[in-house]
Amino acid sequence: MQKYFLGKCVLGIMAVAIGIVVITAVIETVLIVKASAKKPQENATLIVLGCKVYGEHASRSLRERLDAALIYLEENPNSQCIVSGGMGEGEKISEAECMYRYLTKKGINSSRIIKEDKSTSTRENLRFSKKIMEEKGLGNNIAIATSEYHQYRASQIAKSLGFSVGAVSGHTAWWLFPTFYMRELYGILYQAL
């Protein structure tokens, strides 16, 4: 009888734990989808968040962000752009330099692009970009170009820094999405705690 009761307790605790995980994942997914769909204002300052560079070449994820940024910049000719990202391990140039080269090669005038090449995290991307914006009198209205799964966490950081935020979302390849999505769920939870 005691073993039966103990077994029911263990199963009950496991069911509650699984329920909490599922509910948390659903809530975070809704937040991610809403954040990635938030349209930016016209001619907002575009901040492109860095991502892995292989030597001097943009990773697939970084190209997806840059392609989304390119569309926004073409549609908003008065928008300034900050490409934000330092140099990580295995990178021959900073993420900012890689993004600058990519966008100028695709036809964006170099006078519209400002490089922020010291940051090593999303928080630093946005904090260092804010300093640049303050120095140049660009206001607080931004569009964040990043992967769709990353928009919620990035926008929450941006809002905490006083930005008004819209999303310019790069679309992650379907076979990469599950890995990045799961990692991001943990990132959101970690940031909330």
Side-chain angles (χ1 to χ4, degrees), residues 4-25:
Y4 176 74
F5 177 74
L6 186 59
K8 280 183 79 172
C9 285
V10 169
L11 287 175
I13 291 169
M14 286 175 59
V16 168
I18 290 169
I20 290 170
V21 168
V22 169
I23 290 169
T24 302

Side-chain angles (χ1 to χ4, degrees), residues 5-180:
F5 177 74
L6 186 59
K8 280 183 79 172
C9 285
V10 169
L11 287 175
I13 291 169
M14 286 175 59
V16 168
I18 290 169
I20 290 170
V21 168
V22 169
I23 290 169
T24 302
V26 168
I27 291 169
E28 289 181 0
T29 300
V30 169
L31 294 172
I32 288 169
V33 170
K34 280 181 68 177
S36 68
K38 185 169 188 220
K39 297 286 180 211
Q41 290 184 17
E42 228 175 87
N43 295 311
T45 299
L46 180 67
I47 300 175
V48 188
L49 301 183
C51 194
K52 182 70 178 164
V53 170
Y54 295 107
E56 295 185 16
H57 303 285
S59 63
R60 181 182 189 95
S61 292
L62 185 53
R63 286 193 314 271
E64 289 162 348
R65 294 175 184 192
L66 288 166
D67 289 340
L70 187 61
I71 292 167
Y72 182 80
L73 291 169
E74 289 170 346
E75 292 174 351
N76 294 272
N78 295 320
S79 180
Q80 290 291 113
C81 176
I82 299 173
V83 287
S84 180
M87 189 163 61
E89 191 174 326
E91 297 175 342
K92 292 183 179 175
I93 58 172
S94 69
E95 294 166 4
E97 178 64 26
C98 181
M99 291 187 279
Y100 175 86
R101 290 178 186 180
Y102 188 94
L103 291 173
T104 54
K105 187 176 179 182
K106 297 283 186 176
I108 301 301
N109 191 307
S110 62
S111 66
R112 296 177 66 193
I113 306 171
I114 303 162
K115 288 185 266 187
E116 182 291 296
D117 62 1
K118 303 289 184 250
S119 57
T120 60
S121 67
T122 302
R123 184 168 296 282
E124 286 184 355
N125 289 141
L126 294 164
R127 199 172 42 136
F128 297 169
S129 294
K130 182 176 178 69
K131 186 175 180 192
I132 291 168
M133 289 176 68
E134 287 170 349
E135 290 168 357
K136 297 197 175 286
L138 295 174
N140 283 327
N141 183 28
I142 65 168
I144 298 175
T146 190
S147 306
E148 71 277 78
Y149 62 82
H150 189 227
Q151 282 289 358
Y152 174 72
R153 191 160 53 98
S155 69
Q156 291 305 109
I157 293 169
K159 287 175 186 174
S160 77
L161 294 170
F163 284 120
S164 172
V165 186
V168 174
S169 298
H171 299 290
T172 307
W174 66 268
W175 64 89
L176 296 173
F177 188 82
T179 302
F180 291 126

Side-chain angles (χ1 to χ4, degrees), residues 25 28-29 32 180-190:
E28 289 181 0
T29 300
I32 288 169
F180 291 126
Y181 168 77
M182 289 304 293
R183 191 175 74 184
E184 192 64 18
L185 291 180
Y186 288 111
I188 291 169
L189 198 55
Y190 177 78

